[in-house]
Amino acid sequence: MRHVFPCGTPALDFVGTLQARRAPAPIERLTTPGLLDSWFVESGLLSREPGSGQADLRAATALREAIYALVGARLAGRPLPAVAVAAVNRQAASVPVTMCLGATGTSRYGTAGQAPADLARATVEMVAGAEADLLRECGHPDCTHVYLDRSRGRRREWCALRTCGNRAKAAALRARRRG
């Protein structure tokens, strides 16, 4: 499967694996342990699939929701929820993925429990650091991706121009033609 990575950091892309969060039926992109494995590899967190099980999938999606709660609190200017802080801190304290340098570059090896530790560490740095001011939610009404706005003028509106930006521009064009 091909996953999407429009958000600027694996932690936010991981949050985006539950799409259209405000819709009556959000779209879950990690429905099986195999999809979690493929996400780990496609995101670059691991070089090969770790062989996740159902418990790994439950733990990973729980971490995803904790990350989303922290990011949502930062976006809204609210205090960080203690339960989410504890969940992310617990995962960040786990054993990290092992990186190895080889003749063809680097490789990243670990278990399905180690890859989320890297996501949790990145979340701690992002939410508590200077990048927290760069957090934005996609401007498309049906999208709930959160991204880091690293654009020059800090005026990026969409998670990805080729998807949400294109849809918004096409809708604006149709509205102008009707009007």
Side-chain angles (χ1 to χ4, degrees):
M1 172 169 201
R2 300 283 310 157
H3 297 279
V4 296
F5 302 93
C7 301
T9 177
L12 293 176
D13 287 322
F14 191 61
V15 167
T17 60
L18 182 61
Q19 295 177 311
R21 287 175 175 270
R22 289 185 289 273
I27 303 165
E28 176 62 72
R29 297 292 182 198
L30 299 177
T31 55
T32 66
L35 289 172
L36 178 63
D37 281 349
S38 68
W39 192 92
F40 285 151
V41 172
E42 289 179 37
S43 70
L45 285 176
L46 296 172
S47 297
R48 61 178 173 228
E49 293 186 359
S52 299
Q54 285 296 331
D56 298 314
L57 179 61
R58 282 190 300 277
T61 55
L63 174 64
R64 177 188 67 194
E65 296 311 302
I67 294 170
Y68 183 71
L70 295 176
V71 168
R74 272 292 179 247
L75 285 169
R78 294 187 318 260
L80 299 177
V83 172
V85 169
V88 169
N89 284 340
R90 187 172 39 257
Q91 190 67 51
S94 301
V95 175
V97 168
T98 301
M99 291 186 64
C100 299
L101 180 62
T104 60
T106 59
S107 298
R108 298 175 60 87
Y109 299 102
T111 66
Q114 289 173 286
D118 284 6
L119 295 172
R121 283 183 189 84
T123 300
V124 169
E125 290 177 5
M126 176 180 51
V127 170
E131 286 192 322
D133 291 338
L134 304 179
L135 289 167
R136 307 280 187 277
E137 188 173 54
C138 183
H140 193 277
D142 297 332
C143 184
T144 55
H145 274 116
V146 177
Y147 59 91
L148 291 174
D149 183 1
R150 294 183 176 127
S151 66
R152 184 175 294 173
R154 306 287 188 258
R155 296 185 332 193
R156 182 174 157 190
E157 296 179 50
W158 306 290
C159 62
L161 185 58
R162 72 181 186 282
T163 54
C164 290
N166 189 40
R167 288 182 204 128
K169 288 180 178 194
L173 177 63
R174 285 191 300 275
R176 284 193 304 273
R177 286 184 177 168
R178 278 191 300 260

